[in-house]
Structures are given as C-alpha cells and as structure tokens.
Amino acid sequence: APLVDEPVELAVRRYLSTPNPRGELDVMSFRARRYSQDGGDGLLLALSTAIPDIPKFYVEFGSQNAIECSSRYLRVERRWQGILLDRDFENPYINQFRETMSKENINSV
C-alpha cells in the first residue's frame, strides 16, 4: 500500500471502512504519517484504537531529536505520556533522557 500524507485519523478510518474479502489485516494499509518515518503514526493509531484499554504510555529508544519519531504523534496529538531515550539527545520538557542502550544495561535503564 502506498504511504499517504493525509491526516492520520482519516487514513485509519479509510482503511477500516474498506472491506477485506479474505478477512486479513494488512498492517501496511494503516501507514500514514504526520511525525514518523515510514507511516508509523497510522499503525500506532490503529493499534491503540483496536485495543481501547491499552495503557496510554510509550517508551521510545533512539528518538534522536524527537522531531521525526514514532512516539511524537501519540505525545502531541493523543496526549499520551512516556519517555524517550537517545544516546545523543536530551530534552526534559518532553521527558527525553540521554542514555546509551546495550544488551548489558537494558534491564537497569
């Protein structure tokens, strides 16, 4: 499915209203972006809509400067809370911490 640059809510609504004759869920059809790379905003919205009781909390590893990242849509548009971790960037206003992640320290971070 092509990546669409339309409002994320419209892209998800469009997909959910399109009948699928085989009853399969094509997650690539949810791709829509506002802040993420490769359409993750639409996929995250679809998953959070499909699981309504999901805790509204995210953790993102490798968020870089947090301008184009997977969790920004949830933080800005959906008002979720969470933490962002990155080796080089830190921003206390958005709960972003400078951490270097490895298999040795992942449980302690």
Side-chain angles (χ1 to χ4, degrees):
L3 180 62
V4 293
D5 283 317
E6 65 180 305
V8 176
E9 295 85 355
L10 291 178
V12 171
R13 209 173 300 131
R14 177 179 39 76
Y15 175 79
L16 293 175
S17 67
T18 304
N20 184 330
R22 295 189 292 179
E24 297 172 346
L25 179 63
D26 178 11
V27 295
M28 297 307 283
S29 295
F30 287 111
R31 295 186 330 153
R33 73 172 168 226
R34 186 166 301 153
Y35 305 110
S36 67
Q37 294 179 344
D38 301 322
D41 296 329
L43 181 58
L44 288 172
L45 176 62
L47 289 172
S48 64
T49 301
I51 309 169
D53 295 331
I54 193 170
K56 308 301 187 228
F57 189 85
Y58 60 83
V59 176
E60 181 165 347
F61 302 97
S63 55
Q64 297 181 349
N65 62 9
I67 292 173
E68 184 178 63
C69 65
S70 299
S71 61
R72 186 174 176 195
Y73 176 79
L74 297 174
R75 178 173 39 88
V76 173
E77 304 287 334
R78 308 298 279 185
R79 305 282 187 230
W80 285 32
Q81 298 295 310
I83 60 172
L84 302 128
L85 302 170
D86 191 85
R87 180 185 63 191
D88 301 316
F89 294 90
E90 185 171 26
N91 183 340
Y93 297 107
I94 60 171
N95 223 16
Q96 183 184 39
F97 303 98
R98 186 173 290 158
E99 290 286 345
T100 300
M101 307 301 298
S102 69
K103 64 182 180 180
E104 288 79 25
N105 75 352
I106 189 73
N107 291 327
S108 64
V109 172

